[in-house]
Amino acid sequence: MNKFSRPSRFNTVIDHECVERVKQFVLVSQRIVITCHVSPDGDALGSSTALCSVLRALGKDAVVVTADCPPKALQFLPGVRDIVPLTRDENRAIELVEGADLIFCLDFNDLNRLDRLAPVVGGASARRVVIDHHLSPVIEADVIISHPEVSSTSALLYLFLWQAYWVKYLSRSSAACIYTGMMTDTGNFSYNSNDSDLYLIVHDLMRKGIDKDNLYKLVMDTSSETSLRIIGYAQYKMQILREHKVALLTLGSSELKEFGYSKGDTEGLVNRPLAIPEVTWSVFMREDSPTLVKVSMRSKGDFSVSRICEECFGGGGHANAAGGEFNGSLNEAISRFLEILPNYDKYLS
Ligand code: 5GP
Ligand code: MN
């Protein structure tokens, strides 16, 4: 029995038949792989590690396999050290995916988001279940639980566990993982967070014993010196194109090198310009190599950056938080950006 009574909508977010099918898949499977998108964030890692722990509590051989290594800042999350990243242990990662009878795909809607792991998961014979909150999934699976109206995959996973009567298998550690995902995908409950049900979930997680204040400190308010300096520097040289209501942040490869940048150091930077009332959207371009620029975008209100990332940078994401890539140098990426910019003025209200 679930310990707390919850509104009936808690039982109806996910189609009942989907929940039953997934439960059935789990019950008949033994080797279960969970995977999430490349450059995994708090939501991807939080939902994956929490589900892994629940499946282990159910007696399954569950493991999280990712395309690349989790960022240093999230290494403290329970279960993250057990993850098998393809970039670190290629043979084992492939062996686990190929040997699985069930694969959970969490927090992504397109196999391409698995990077070099995509062909391995795509070619595996296992049944596939997707649990995700990105718009318009283009992934094939036996069951797709896709709810873009839910602010994080972690919250959606909690609702799945609730509907499956599996909340009892959630330990304090995995509750902390779910909380981390909910917190990071809502900017510590500062956007996409006007849904009162979220706080019922938070209540349940706190009853499991999580220290939410400490999780905030560890995840949202802990930074390396390099990160603070590089984020400050990028904001110092930020350009604001007022007629387009956009802020542009850029970091070239020589600047990254000079600061001693490592992965994760620019986390959160792209959100900063939205603090300026005149700025509706914000773009951050990071020159990861002479031929590859990572693009991140954020926006306010109805202005959709996922459309721009999709149309111009081969990416996607959510209406207010999206990303993509540009094959070329930073200067070329900036030129491309300035060229497409006027096309989107009509969507500014
Ligand atoms: P971030 O800017 O934090 O890297 O990503 C913001 C959002 O956009 C996330 O939901 C992420 O999944 C999505 N996203 C980031 N980069 C890409 C990309 O290259 N392709 C797609 N399809 N989505 C991306
Ligand atoms: Mn997410």
Side-chain angles (χ1 to χ4, degrees), residues 227-244:
S227 170
L228 280 189
R229 290 195 191 282
I230 204 165
I231 284 178
Y233 168 76
Q235 289 178 90
Y236 171 73
K237 60 175 212 122
M238 162 181 71
Q239 282 175 273
I240 297 183
L241 302 154
R242 286 177 202 280
E243 64 281 29
H244 306 288

Side-chain angles (χ1 to χ4, degrees), residues 49-296:
T49 52
L51 177 60
C52 186
S53 148
V54 167
L55 294 173
R56 285 180 182 173
L58 283 160
K60 305 297 170 182
D61 299 323
V63 61
V64 180
V65 177
T66 53
D68 56 349
C69 293
K72 265 188 249 139
L74 293 170
Q75 297 278 349
F76 79 91
L77 264 189
V80 163
R81 285 172 192 281
D82 296 339
I83 290 177
V84 181
L86 183 82
T87 48
R88 194 165 63 206
D89 200 344
E90 179 152 348
N91 292 341
R92 182 138 183 266
I94 293 173
E95 195 182 305
L96 286 165
V97 171
E98 288 179 346
D101 1 77
L102 180 60
I103 300 177
F104 278 93
C105 297
L106 300 193
D107 203 36
F108 65 97
N109 62 353
D110 181 342
L111 268 194
N112 287 333
R113 295 284 290 142
L114 290 179
D115 207 25
R116 283 209 304 117
L117 195 59
V120 189
V121 170
S125 57
R127 285 199 178 103
R128 215 184 285 163
V129 172
V130 170
I131 303 180
D132 178 49
H133 71 137
H134 291 85
L135 292 166
S136 345
V138 290
I139 186 169
E140 278 178 31
D142 296 277
V143 176
I144 300 187
I145 297 175
S146 166
H147 287 267
E149 80 283 8
V150 178
S151 56
S152 60
T153 296
S154 296
L156 185 57
L157 174 69
Y158 184 85
L159 293 172
F160 168 78
L161 297 176
W162 177 270
Q163 289 187 234
Y165 286 83
W166 282 352
V167 168
K168 57 178 175 282
Y169 298 113
L170 201 63
S171 63
R172 178 168 61 168
S173 296
S174 32
C177 295
I178 289 193
Y179 184 78
T180 298
M182 292 176 67
M183 173 173 64
T184 52
D185 264 25
T186 59
N188 194 38
F189 303 95
S190 67
Y191 48 81
N192 293 337
S193 57
N194 282 331
D195 171 3
S196 59
D197 288 356
L198 287 181
Y199 304 93
L200 294 176
I201 301 177
V202 171
H203 171 270
D204 291 1
L205 299 175
M206 292 186 71
R207 292 289 294 261
K208 289 273 182 186
I210 65 162
D211 182 345
K212 112 181 165 45
D213 295 351
N214 190 43
L215 287 169
Y216 174 81
K217 184 76 202 154
L218 288 171
V219 179
M220 312 285 285
D221 199 22
T222 298
S223 216
S224 67
E225 180 184 338
T226 302
S227 170
L228 280 189
R229 290 195 191 282
I230 204 165
I231 284 178
Y233 168 76
Q235 289 178 90
Y236 171 73
K237 60 175 212 122
M238 162 181 71
Q239 282 175 273
I240 297 183
L241 302 154
R242 286 177 202 280
E243 64 281 29
H244 306 288
K245 300 188 177 179
V246 67
L248 176 63
L249 299 152
T250 60
L251 287 169
S253 49
S254 56
E255 292 166 314
L256 295 169
K257 200 168 163 208
E258 194 180 319
F259 277 91
Y261 165 85
S262 54
K263 218 173 151 184
D265 281 343
T266 53
E267 199 59 47
L269 167 62
V270 66
N271 294 296
R272 301 306 311 147
L274 297 184
I276 304 168
E278 295 76 27
V279 168
T280 297
W281 58 302
S282 161
V283 178
F284 169 44
M285 294 182 165
R286 191 184 61 221
E287 194 176 38
D288 283 346
S289 84
T291 55
L292 184 71
V293 177
K294 177 69 201 162
V295 180
S296 275

Side-chain angles (χ1 to χ4, degrees), residues 327-339:
N327 294 309
S329 68
L330 177 59
N331 282 335
E332 288 164 343
I334 295 172
S335 300
R336 168 93 178 121
F337 170 68
L338 296 175
E339 190 184 292

